[in-house]
Amino acid sequence: MSLPPEKASELKQLIHQQLSKMDVHGRIREILAETIREELAPDQQHLSTEDLIKALRRRGIIDDVMKELNFVTDSVDQELPSSPKQPICFDRQSTLKKTNIDPTRRYLYLQVLGGKAFLEHLQEPEPLPGQVCSTFTLCLHYRNQRFRSKPVPCACEPDFHDGFLLEVHRESLGDGTRMADSTTMLSISDPIHMVLIKTDIFGETTLVASYFLEWRSVLGSENGVTSLTVELMGVGTESKVSVGILNIKLEMYPPLNQTLSQEVVNTQLALERQKTAEKERLFLVYAKQWWREYLQIRPSHNSRLVKIFAQDENGINRPVCSYVKPLRAGRLLDTPRQAARFVNVLGYERAPVIGGGGKQEQWCTLLAFLCRNKGDCEDHANLLCSLLLGYGLEAFVCVGTKAKGVPHAWVMTCGTDGTITFWESLTGHRYIHKPTNPDEPPVAEQPKPLYPYRTIGCVFNHQMFLGNCQPSDAVETCVFDLNDESKWKPMSEEAIKSVCAPGATTSLPPFPPLCASTIDASVTSNEIEMQLRLLVSEHRKDLGLTTVWEDQLSYLLSPALASYEFERTTSISAGNEEFQDAIRRAVPDGHTFKGFPIHFVYRNARRAFATCLRSPFCEEIICCRGDQVRLAVRVRVFTYPESACAVWIMFACKYRSVL
């Protein structure tokens, strides 16, 4: 096969770069000098090329070069435009074949080579070409790196074939600049967190499994390569039930010069488990003692919502303080209020429970919550508290009840001036707390609380846990002087740090970074708007009505939608006067204008339309009858990290009023 001249020169340049990077010329000179000293007899005048090649092969130089060149050529093949590139920040589909990697760093190449025994999908028919079907997506987090597999159709043996290149040795995490050896890597206890998500044909996501992969067995494997069979267990009430098996291959790159014995690796892992178990045992002993003391203050404390431990998606009890940690959003979110809006647009869904019997408790790890894009009130509150701590605020998660005694979690911030602010993570609303004094005479005017909270049992963050020991646990009478131990019984900060500080125990899941949105707001807004126009036209046709759209009127609705979102984010209303003025100019005398704005956190146009029709105001606009009826619809999608979005839709109509 002959190459065109430009390709040949490009290939030569690639080979030259690779040889320079590996310092092959220097190594050849060293071997040449060594061979001449050792092997050249005094009567021989020159060394043949064959002798030199033999010496290079004997020392493994040629094998090393060929390996590296294979790597580069694969890289060239993969860059052909056969498939669109995945978005860099969210789907870092880094594989050995695709990525230009730094040869001075240490990487772990994780390949997922198919799944089996996903018995829930045993009867799943083979999807036809082009048919929309439910899919599995595997999400990974390792040492501040996030990865996402390509979606594969749900099946008993899902066809996962993805590779992820994980950087084991990261300067950003305080590692040195030297290449990490086996011993150094053995001390890196961070697990690989794998989360399996199922997405149905309507775009609804379900958490299937959450698994922490211990990768260090590869350090004791021959050639630094090992294959594993990972059994995934269900979540919540099904955490003891197997949902399927993944075949995984782990490979160190560059290959390890010296592997450890499997005995050394196993001993290290056993020591870590033993140390973690001892720390957790000591904290449990302390927590029991603290609880006994708390109950001795007042017997009624037994009925208060003082939550020291909570179960995660795998059914493991963990201290609540471990679910919160200062989290910085980088450049993805600019203000605490914007962070509250982001948390608010993540979907709300209570943990699923089979049969009746009340609420199933499940506090999700952050990766599971973000990948699923929805969770319970505790998940929202933990994330919002973490973000507010990242912005330097003194934030706490509050555990208590709403009306009718429904358990609830929300966030509280304490200002330097003593101002107490409640943040409702499900709505983004903020409330200033002004305690009422129960000892005041009845005639004295008391501030009326606007917040929906009734009682409060405890508050916590990553460093502190405080139980409410005031005579009443009613929120409206609570005084939030957290330094007053007669009102709030604290836990020892040292005890909390022993099990909740980063790196304190190997059982703590590390916090993943947030990822930028992969949604194109303009394209998505247009798509939903076109679908809604079609749905409205079909609905009116069924009623025997014609539909005439007015594009200019639709465009004039944009400022209103932008204003609504700005108000949700900042609590400041702006731009309403210009919108009203533009509408007055667009609607002639003798005509009537009606508009109906509505807000969603999903992008399913058909579902949104069905919801809109349930509102009598919206139905009146969509089914408008009259003279010179003109309809308008405007959609505006506002994107947030993790591909969360706020979707604003406004339907409007104008028509001549006929009495």
Side-chain angles (χ1 to χ4, degrees):
M1 179 181 126
S2 61
L3 283 172
E6 65 273 15
K7 284 287 177 192
S9 67
E10 188 181 334
L11 190 59
K12 282 179 186 171
Q13 192 177 355
L14 281 168
I15 293 169
H16 179 70
Q17 283 174 359
Q18 195 64 31
L19 294 177
S20 304
K21 192 193 287 185
M22 296 174 65
D23 193 22
V24 170
H25 299 102
R27 289 160 76 185
I28 288 175
R29 276 194 290 273
E30 286 171 20
I31 288 167
L32 182 57
E34 190 179 316
T35 308
I36 288 171
R37 278 199 309 275
E38 291 174 6
E39 298 180 13
L40 202 58
D43 55 328
Q44 267 186 284
Q45 294 301 310
H46 69 278
L47 193 68
S48 70
T49 309
E50 286 77 20
D51 292 333
L52 180 57
I53 296 280
K54 267 185 214 164
L56 292 175
R57 185 165 277 132
R58 207 164 48 240
R59 286 163 176 80
I61 299 293
I62 289 177
D63 287 345
D64 285 355
V65 172
M66 293 312 292
K67 274 185 201 165
E68 292 297 314
L69 290 179
N70 280 338
F71 180 74
V72 172
T73 47
D74 279 357
S75 159
V76 174
D77 292 340
Q78 282 291 328
E79 287 303 316
L80 295 173
S82 57
S83 60
K85 287 188 179 181
Q86 296 289 347
I88 290 171
C89 75
F90 197 79
D91 294 326
R92 284 180 55 181
Q93 293 288 37
S94 311
T95 65
L96 281 174
K97 297 182 176 179
K98 263 174 123 168
T99 312
N100 295 321
I101 66 172
D102 181 349
T104 66
R105 314 301 292 159
R106 186 72 75 183
Y107 297 89
L108 176 68
Y109 184 40
L110 184 152
Q111 288 174 279
V112 185
L113 304 173
K116 57 188 178 184
F118 285 79
L119 300 179
E120 195 175 317
H121 301 278
L122 194 58
Q123 306 299 325
E124 205 90 9
E126 193 76 23
L128 300 169
Q131 180 189 356
V132 178
C133 62
S134 299
T135 57
F136 282 138
T137 309
L138 193 63
C139 305
L140 274 72
H141 168 234
Y142 178 70
R143 303 199 97 200
N144 259 18
Q145 303 160 82
R146 295 271 301 273
F147 304 86
R148 179 181 279 255
S149 73
K150 295 187 288 289
V152 299
C154 293
C156 184
E157 297 188 357
D159 189 26
F160 286 110
H161 275 92
D162 273 293
F164 309 98
L165 195 64
L166 284 62
E167 192 174 335
V168 178
H169 192 256
R170 289 173 67 76
E171 284 174 28
S172 60
L173 293 174
D175 302 333
T177 52
R178 287 185 307 114
M179 170 87 78
D181 58 14
S182 304
T183 313
T184 307
M185 288 190 290
L186 187 59
S187 67
I188 299 173
S189 60
D190 304 60
I192 299 168
H193 191 182
M194 305 167 70
V195 167
L196 184 63
I197 300 291
K198 177 183 174 181
T199 309
D200 68 15
I201 56 174
F202 305 108
E204 289 295 307
T205 53
T206 311
L207 178 62
V208 179
S210 173
Y211 184 83
F212 292 94
L213 177 67
E214 177 49 74
W215 57 274
R216 285 174 290 175
S217 58
V218 73
L219 301 175
S221 306
E222 193 178 349
N223 304 323
V225 180
T226 188
S227 295
L228 306 168
T229 301
V230 168
E231 184 179 19
L232 301 177
M233 308 304 279
V235 294
T237 51
E238 299 173 37
S239 58
K240 301 287 186 287
V241 181
S242 173
V243 293
I245 290 169
L246 291 180
N247 295 320
I248 287 175
K249 183 180 177 185
L250 299 174
E251 182 178 352
M252 295 306 303
Y253 185 83
L256 296 170
N257 299 327
Q258 181 184 3
T259 57
L260 304 169
S261 75
Q262 200 64 53
E263 192 181 346
V264 169
V265 176
N266 292 341
T267 305
Q268 171 71 15
L269 300 182
L271 282 170
E272 285 178 5
R273 281 194 295 270
Q274 189 181 338
K275 192 176 169 187
T276 295
E278 181 60 14
K279 283 184 176 181
E280 289 174 348
R281 186 189 69 79
L282 289 173
F283 181 76
L284 181 59
V285 169
Y286 170 75
K288 283 180 175 177
Q289 176 63 27
W290 183 93
W291 178 244
R292 277 195 296 271
E293 292 170 3
Y294 181 71
L295 290 182
Q296 283 169 12
I297 297 171
R298 213 175 273 110
S300 61
H301 285 181
N302 196 31
S303 60
R304 294 190 180 183
L305 275 177
V306 178
K307 193 141 195 65
I308 303 171
F309 294 93
Q311 280 194 359
D312 66 10
E313 66 267 24
N314 291 325
I316 295 168
N317 271 314
R318 297 203 282 116
V320 290
C321 296
S322 68
Y323 289 89
V324 174
K325 177 192 160 190
L327 181 63
R328 287 164 53 173
R331 299 189 185 277
L332 301 178
L333 297 166
D334 296 319
T335 66
R337 294 192 188 190
Q338 197 178 10
R341 178 61 174 153
F342 156 59
V343 175
N344 155 221
V345 298
L346 290 169
Y348 168 62
E349 182 182 84
R350 290 175 64 167
V353 60
I354 299 170
K359 181 182 173 183
Q360 163 69 27
E361 184 187 77
Q362 180 181 302
W363 291 30
C364 281
T365 53
L366 184 55
L367 184 68
F369 177 39
L370 294 176
C371 294
R372 191 169 54 139
N373 244 232
K374 59 186 176 186
D376 212 332
C377 61
E378 293 89 357
D379 303 324
H380 286 80
N382 290 334
L383 174 56
L384 178 56
C385 184
S386 298
L387 288 166
L388 296 182
L389 287 167
Y391 281 111
L393 301 179
E394 188 181 8
F396 296 87
V397 175
C398 304
V399 179
T401 62
K402 292 196 298 185
K404 298 180 182 174
V406 176
H408 191 61
W410 66 98
V411 178
M412 170 183 83
T413 51
C414 306
T416 50
D417 59 354
T419 304
I420 300 297
T421 308
F422 293 149
W423 303 64
E424 178 46 64
S425 57
L426 296 179
T427 62
H429 293 158
R430 297 164 66 255
Y431 310 95
I432 303 297
H433 171 66
K434 290 177 181 165
T436 59
N437 187 349
D439 299 328
E440 287 278 330
V443 290
E445 192 177 339
Q446 297 273 19
K448 192 175 179 191
L450 300 172
Y451 44 76
Y453 319 121
R454 293 292 177 266
T455 67
I456 181 164
C458 64
V459 300
F460 67 88
N461 62 18
H462 63 304
Q463 293 174 326
M464 298 168 72
F465 182 96
L466 301 118
N468 180 7
C469 52
Q470 295 169 63
S472 168
D473 62 351
V475 179
E476 60 187 18
T477 61
C478 263
V479 176
F480 288 92
D481 179 1
L482 302 181
N483 296 317
D484 185 345
E485 293 194 13
S486 68
K487 293 183 171 64
W488 294 92
K489 179 172 171 57
M491 265 195 175
S492 157
E493 289 189 29
E494 284 302 312
I496 292 169
K497 196 187 289 184
S498 71
V499 287
C500 297
T505 66
T506 52
S507 62
L508 279 186
F511 269 46
L514 295 182
C515 288
S517 178
T518 58
I519 297 168
D520 186 318
S522 302
V523 170
T524 310
S525 299
N526 280 336
E527 285 174 356
I528 297 173
E529 195 170 302
M530 290 300 108
Q531 290 170 24
L532 286 174
R533 282 195 174 200
L534 190 62
L535 290 165
V536 170
S537 299
E538 286 176 355
H539 186 72
R540 287 177 63 83
K541 188 178 178 183
D542 291 344
L543 298 172
L545 300 170
T546 57
T547 306
V548 181
W549 295 101
E550 187 171 313
D551 290 342
Q552 177 61 13
L553 185 60
S554 295
Y555 181 70
L556 295 184
L557 304 178
S558 295
L561 300 183
S563 175
Y564 299 148
E565 183 61 21
F566 182 74
E567 187 174 353
R568 288 286 180 104
T569 309
T570 62
S571 306
I572 299 167
S573 179
N576 202 32
E577 301 83 357
E578 294 90 338
F579 167 65
Q580 290 183 358
D581 190 60
I583 293 298
R584 285 192 192 100
R585 290 175 178 278
V587 178
D589 288 343
H591 283 62
T592 300
F593 171 84
K594 289 181 180 176
F596 177 79
I598 191 167
H599 166 255
F600 299 99
V601 294
Y602 51 80
R603 306 189 302 279
N604 186 323
R606 193 172 288 277
R607 184 177 158 197
F609 183 65
T611 305
C612 291
L613 282 178
R614 286 201 285 273
S615 163
F617 301 107
C618 188
E619 194 196 17
E620 195 179 311
I621 292 170
I622 291 170
C623 306
C624 180
R625 298 169 183 267
D627 185 21
Q628 297 179 26
V629 175
R630 298 291 181 269
L631 291 169
V633 62
R634 192 66 170 171
V635 176
R636 180 75 167 84
V637 174
F638 297 87
T639 58
Y640 287 90
E642 299 296 330
S643 298
C645 59
V647 179
W648 282 97
I649 300 171
M650 192 167 189
F651 291 99
C653 68
K654 66 175 185 180
Y655 59 93
R656 184 193 290 276
S657 304
V658 181
L659 296 175

